[in-house]
Amino acid sequence: GKNLSARLNESKEFSVLSFTRDDSSNTLQEKIKESDAIVHLAGVNRPKNISEFKTINCGLTESICQLIRSEGTRDIPLIVASSTQAKLDNPYGKSKYAAEVLVEELFLGTGNPVAVYQLPSVFGRWCKPNYNSVVATFCHNITSGLPIKINDPKTQLTLVYIDDVITDIIRLLNNQFIGFSRPIIRPEYSIPLGDLARQIEGFKENRNTSFIENIDKDFNSALYSTYSSYLASTNLK
């Protein structure tokens, strides 16, 4: 959300109405009434209580759908960030799948345009370490001189870069999409966990964009940019 708001504000082509966890349900209704399109990026994947999966991942989505329906005479294109885990049988995955069902029902019942991204792990600046991004955790710990934990270095990761996600969302907003769609972010990167750790550690050792064999050049550049953002925040402390 922070990355999208920053890019949209920089473009000066859009007026951004932000809705965060600090806002009330009344605020949500007011902002939807003012909106020409909605990008729904809110969610939780490591709640203190398992019930939060339903409350946040499904409850907020349901409220958004109901408020769009209440507008009646006009479509409000809805872009939703889901997860590849929506295909899995775990509490988080089930909640993301349920949210997908809600927005598909919105489209089927009203024709309101909906686009659902089933995202793999997303990396880039401003991702919270020790939460849902192994890249963020590794970058934070390595720049801070903290240890990192790797259970199986051969574990294969599938990643997309936040800038590529934002670029595609803006593409949809600019093209006034119709129907129900499942856009796919490209490029998508695949890397073993151990190689990821070695590459980030290499950044610290060399303080430049050192390149490890078999790592995509574009991925290397995106990863270094991400690493640098955590380095800058560490130096500010």
Side-chain angles (χ1 to χ4, degrees), residues 24-216:
S24 68
S25 56
N26 289 336
T27 302
L28 179 63
Q29 183 174 16
E30 292 167 3
K31 291 186 176 181
I32 286 179
K33 284 182 176 295
E34 295 181 55
S35 297
D36 298 308
I38 299 168
V39 185
H40 177 18
L41 303 175
V44 61
N45 64 3
R46 288 195 179 183
K48 294 179 179 178
N49 190 307
I50 197 170
S51 65
E52 292 180 50
F53 282 129
K54 183 176 181 179
T55 304
I56 298 175
N57 292 347
C58 300
L60 178 59
T61 303
E62 185 173 20
S63 295
I64 290 171
C65 291
Q66 288 174 347
L67 290 169
I68 291 175
R69 285 190 181 93
S70 70
E71 288 297 292
T73 58
R74 70 182 183 108
D75 289 338
I76 308 177
L78 174 62
I79 299 171
V80 178
S82 185
S83 167
T84 52
Q85 289 202 44
K87 303 172 183 177
L88 303 180
D89 186 20
N90 60 51
Y92 173 68
K94 288 179 178 178
S95 70
K96 298 304 283 187
Y97 175 76
E100 287 189 17
V101 170
L102 288 168
V103 298
E104 187 168 7
E105 288 175 347
L106 170 69
F107 163 70
L108 292 173
T110 66
N112 192 86
V114 173
V116 178
Y117 288 95
Q118 278 196 349
L119 298 171
S121 184
V122 181
F123 74 98
R125 62 177 180 167
W126 300 329
C127 284
K128 185 191 298 185
N130 302 304
Y131 186 65
N132 66 348
S133 169
V134 66
V135 175
T137 301
F138 282 5
C139 286
H140 172 266
N141 285 20
I142 289 170
T143 56
S144 302
L146 300 173
I148 59 174
K149 181 180 179 181
I150 301 176
N151 293 325
D152 182 0
K154 294 181 181 179
T155 298
Q156 200 73 18
L157 301 175
T158 301
L159 305 167
V160 290
Y161 185 41
I162 187 62
D163 285 12
D164 296 325
V165 177
I166 300 308
T167 295
D168 204 69
I169 289 174
I170 293 174
R171 175 189 65 81
L172 285 181
L173 292 173
N174 279 325
N175 285 282
Q176 297 181 338
F177 65 97
I178 60 174
F180 183 92
S181 61
R182 291 185 177 275
I184 298 174
I185 302 299
R186 293 287 186 262
E188 192 174 86
Y189 303 105
S190 181
I191 184 172
L193 189 59
D195 286 0
L196 174 68
R198 283 194 295 275
Q199 181 67 344
I200 297 173
E201 287 168 340
F203 293 150
K204 183 173 184 179
E205 292 169 4
N206 297 304
R207 296 300 295 273
N208 59 36
T209 53
S210 58
F211 186 73
I212 290 180
E213 188 178 359
N214 296 327
I215 292 184
D216 182 278

Side-chain angles (χ1 to χ4, degrees), residues 224-237:
Y224 183 72
S225 177
T226 303
Y227 168 81
S228 298
S229 70
Y230 288 89
L231 185 65
S233 64
T234 300
N235 288 338
L236 290 174
K237 294 179 181 178

